[in-house]
Amino acid sequence: MNQNQQLFAAAQKHIPGGVNSPVRAFGSVGGTPRFFKKGEGAYVWDADDQRYIDYVGSWGPLILGHTHPKVLEAVIQAAKNGMSFGAPTAAEVELADLICEMLPSIEQVRLVSSGTEATMSAIRLARGFTGRDKLVKFEGCYHGHADSLLVKAGSGLLTFGNPSSAGVPASVAADTLVLPYNDVAALEALFAEMGDKIAAIIVEPIAGNMNMVQASPEFVQAMRKLTEKYGAVLIYDEVMTGFRVDLHCTQGLHGVKPDLTCLGKVVGGGMPLAAFGGRSDIMSKLAPLGPVYQAGTLSGNPVAVAAGLATLKLISEDGFFNQLSIQTKKLCDGLIQIAKETNTVFSAQSTGGMFGFYFSENIPQSFADVMNSDRSKFNAFFHGMLEQGIYLAPSAFEAGFVSAAHSDQDILFTLAAAKKVFMQIK
Ligand SMILES: *Cc1c(COP(=O)(O)O)cnc(C)c1O
């Protein structure tokens, strides 16, 4: 057994499935998960000292690559001054100001420790604000693992074939209404039927937990218009897309102002930090100002805030997203080209530093489309690439990420590997 295999065997003794988050276990692709011991720039090294070009980036946060010197420095300085106070600090005020400046839809923001907390709190707030219970979500969208959101959610749950989770009371799930993504007619029909009972729509405005699926302009407009008309709250879950697809997130690209926005991943620069914010008339319903309770011992943790602040400042530099978008597009265009040369049924797309590729003729528009792609081909491709030293997300239901540390050479190396693997798996 190699080190990865030994560690995975040992891990299963005291950790359920050997992992602390399910998709890490390689359940859908098979094989042994890699245990990482070091990351630097675009690379990670596993327990057997094998190097990989990393297109997962801790599932999105590491937009600057691993151990960026300036982020590292900020974290070390903050830690030296104290790991946690459970009391306000100046740095969290600075981060809140910066988030509100970057996202005009956010007038007030609260910091939390995970994306799950952000979405769970935003939903409680929307329900408290509207005095309504029903929640609309879309098939294949994942919004963290709070009970009311574990209904037809993406990634880990798709990977394991559970449309939902055990342990979620039917009474809780009953208030979650699930519609197909990008289906304007279904959305209109639902609001016509019970619009006055709907507290909120929560949506991944670019879905990244059923691979990558873009919301159509008509769908985006319909969500904004219907929530306005019926007095429901529009929640953009930008935990994945926030500061990843654009400096002003998906809402900047859509030209839409959601009522509430959830952030996570990039906003914490690799540390446990997330946020939710939006209209101040809604946010002022939160305790201690209002009746909706929400709290956290480690919320606004100074070390995590330092990583987030350093990251947001670096991605705000002139031309950052332009360069990142070009680099990501080079990867996608290259893959499409190689697929043509090798007669592989394939499509790919990217926005900013986020990409999706599919073993299907066309780019998927919905969960059903994603399910129709060739997933056994994905698994073969994944393992072929892993052998070539390329680390992709171990599931056909995940988006991929390019960081600012991925050089032209890294992209060319990846494309050369992909060409070999496309020929192998034909
Ligand atoms: C990752 C993710 C979450 C959950 O965030 P955690 O930090 O894993 O709890 C919620 N929504 C979306 C869109 C995500 O991608």
Side-chain angles (χ1 to χ4, degrees), residues 190-240:
L190 181 71
F191 269 86
E193 188 193 328
M194 54 166 79
D196 61 342
K197 295 192 176 66
I198 294 170
I201 292 180
I202 187 165
V203 63
E204 285 184 80
I206 297 173
N209 288 285
M210 49 172 162
N211 205 320
M212 180 176 175
V213 178
Q214 308 262 0
S216 71
E218 300 74 34
F219 186 55
V220 167
Q221 288 309 319
M223 287 190 290
R224 183 61 285 184
K225 281 202 184 113
L226 288 166
T227 44
E228 244 161 39
K229 180 173 172 193
Y230 288 92
V233 176
L234 178 60
I235 306 171
Y236 263 30
D237 179 356
E238 299 225 46
V239 170
M240 184 184 289

Side-chain angles (χ1 to χ4, degrees), residues 114-117 119 142-145 204 209 237 239-240 265:
S114 71
T116 294
E117 264 186 274
T119 54
Y142 176 69
H143 304 290
H145 61 92
E204 285 184 80
N209 288 285
D237 179 356
V239 170
M240 184 184 289
K265 301 195 168 108

